[in-house]
Amino acid sequence: MSSLGQMVFYSDFDDFNVWKEALQHCLPELEIVHSTAVTHPEKVHYALVWKPPQGFFARFDNLKLVINLGAGVDSLVGRPDLPDLPITRLSDPNMARMMAGYVLFAVLRYAREIPYFEQAQQEPAWSYRHPRSPEDVHVGVLGLGELGAYAATELVRQGFTVHGWSRSQKEIEGVCCSYGTAALPAFLGQCETIVVMLPLTPETRGLLDEHHLNLLPRGANIINVSRGEVIVEDALINALKTGQIGQATLDVFTKEPLPLDSPLWAMQQVLITPHLASVALPLSSSPQIVDNVLRICGGKPVLHQIEVMRGY
Ligand code: NAP
Ligand code: GLV
């Protein structure tokens, strides 16, 4: 038996064996057990989990740390069975880079009018449109955390005029930052493309409703890589129908998988991807998970701890 105690793993999306190998490469003596194979729950000290079922934690009386197998902790923080223990999230620059790649792709696709040329090709038609200078394209990033700040910086590197909005004041080179509810209308009013990178919390749930969507310039583009519930989906659908929102790139939805009867599927101006803008990466994330295990063993505070009351 390992003196460290065991780590229980739960995820319907991630490969247990790949994670086990990556974690044990960093700390060979750490015993990692899939949740379906736990025989001695009292030996489990750490839980590495993505969306575990309700009641999951109840049998682990000696748990010391919950590690969210991802960045967003919304599926953990609201639940009644969450143990009163340190909860950490993944904080991996490679994950931020993968997310920034998706955001760059989506913003560039609109800035370079790729959907227009895709349509022209269908006809087919050689339909020249002179490219715009990137600085003329105003992009707004909502949420300037680990992923949002990285993506905003990459957008600056591409020459876009980048606005950022968060809960508290931020300073990011090249990004015009504002914060708080009072600043939201002015922020929205100047962005032809917005990228939603907020966590889902009681404050952000339904934040982008009909009122706020109407504050965007007519025909604005929306890219949502945070959580579906941050945008009121029916309001978005209506705004897409009226042309208030011109185009949308949606990676996340109120209900996932997106139900087959959702009107979003049939909208030519909507690009749908199945929640994969960025994923947890075993090789680059394992060292920080193991570091936190060792911190718990050494009685030290863990890193990347989330604030349960705040919701992120
Ligand atoms: P983070 O580091 O926790 O940062 C959150 C940012 O949102 C911070 O800048 C925070 O402001 C801001 N914020 C929070 N509440 C706000 C409010 N009420 N008003 C204005 N700003 C607010 O989060 P992250 O790591 O960047 O990740 C963001 C989200 O991306 C995750 O929560 C998750 O939902 C999503 N995600 C999606 C995928 C995917 O594949 N689609 C992958 C990974 C993550 P302060 O800086 O002032 O605190
Ligand atoms: C994925 O959506 C994450 O929050 O890591």
Side-chain angles (χ1 to χ4, degrees):
M1 191 193 81
S2 160
S3 58
L4 293 168
Q6 293 180 348
M7 174 179 280
V8 63
F9 178 96
Y10 183 95
S11 170
D12 287 338
F13 295 86
D14 302 276
D15 188 318
F16 170 64
N17 290 319
V18 174
W19 276 95
K20 183 175 170 174
E21 195 180 325
L23 289 159
Q24 287 188 329
H25 179 75
C26 299
L27 190 58
E29 58 270 42
L30 180 64
E31 223 182 312
I32 301 152
V33 189
H34 195 276
S35 62
T36 53
V38 173
T39 50
H40 293 90
E42 72 283 1
K43 291 184 187 167
V44 171
H45 291 180
Y46 324 98
L48 177 60
V49 291
W50 181 250
K51 298 188 179 175
Q54 284 297 326
F56 177 84
F57 300 106
R59 63 182 173 137
F60 302 119
D61 288 335
N62 296 324
L63 209 54
K64 298 176 182 171
L65 174 67
V66 176
I67 305 136
N68 182 56
L69 192 46
V73 290
D74 48 286
S75 68
L76 281 182
V77 289
R79 44 194 287 162
D81 66 334
L82 189 66
D84 184 16
L85 295 169
I87 316 286
T88 60
R89 55 162 287 180
L90 297 189
S91 172
D92 175 7
N94 287 4
M95 191 178 186
R97 185 178 62 186
M98 184 185 263
M99 175 61 92
Y102 183 102
V103 170
L104 268 183
F105 150 76
V107 171
L108 283 164
R109 182 167 170 266
Y110 293 140
R112 296 304 304 267
E113 303 190 81
I114 300 302
Y116 172 81
F117 296 115
E118 280 171 348
Q119 243 176 6
Q121 189 175 345
Q122 294 300 317
E123 294 190 21
W126 181 271
S127 191
Y128 187 85
R129 272 194 181 179
H130 202 65
R132 298 162 68 201
S133 283
E135 58 270 26
D136 293 339
V137 178
H138 288 247
V139 182
V141 180
L142 292 94
L144 298 172
E146 299 199 14
L147 306 184
Y150 194 116
T153 300
E154 289 299 307
L155 291 166
V156 169
R157 273 156 48 90
Q158 286 298 318
F160 295 114
T161 298
V162 182
H163 309 266
W165 182 75
S166 52
R167 202 163 78 128
S168 58
Q169 180 64 51
K170 296 276 169 261
E171 274 184 33
I172 302 170
E173 202 176 337
V175 181
C176 172
C177 295
S178 59
Y179 69 99
T181 314
L184 185 57
F187 166 86
L188 293 173
Q190 64 201 346
C191 300
E192 71 172 61
T193 295
I194 59 167
V195 189
V196 186
M197 305 192 74
L198 294 164
L200 178 63
T201 69
E203 280 180 30
T204 64
R205 183 180 292 276
L207 178 75
L208 294 175
D209 55 7
E210 183 186 358
H211 167 70
H212 283 122
L213 294 178
N214 281 334
L215 295 178
L216 288 160
R218 188 163 175 79
N221 308 306
I222 290 195
I223 296 158
N224 188 8
V225 290
S226 72
R227 290 291 183 263
E229 295 96 320
V230 175
I231 305 180
V232 178
E233 208 160 86
D234 285 344
L236 175 63
I237 290 166
N238 282 338
L240 283 158
K241 283 181 184 161
T242 64
Q244 168 57 19
I245 300 301
Q247 305 174 97
T249 301
L250 306 175
D251 185 53
V252 287
F253 303 87
T254 300
K255 189 160 189 292
E256 293 178 8
L258 179 64
L260 290 178
D261 61 358
S262 169
L264 290 168
W265 285 111
M267 291 182 160
Q268 293 300 311
Q269 70 276 44
V270 177
L271 177 63
I272 290 171
T273 54
H275 197 147
L276 41 62
S278 185
V279 295
L281 301 162
L283 276 186
S284 48
S285 296
S286 289
Q288 65 183 254
I289 295 172
V290 158
D291 179 46
N292 272 338
V293 165
L294 294 173
R295 282 170 173 272
I296 290 283
C297 291
K300 293 191 200 145
V302 293
L303 302 177
H304 319 301
Q305 186 168 351
I306 58 109
E307 287 180 37
V308 175
M309 293 309 289
R310 193 178 63 164
Y312 69 100

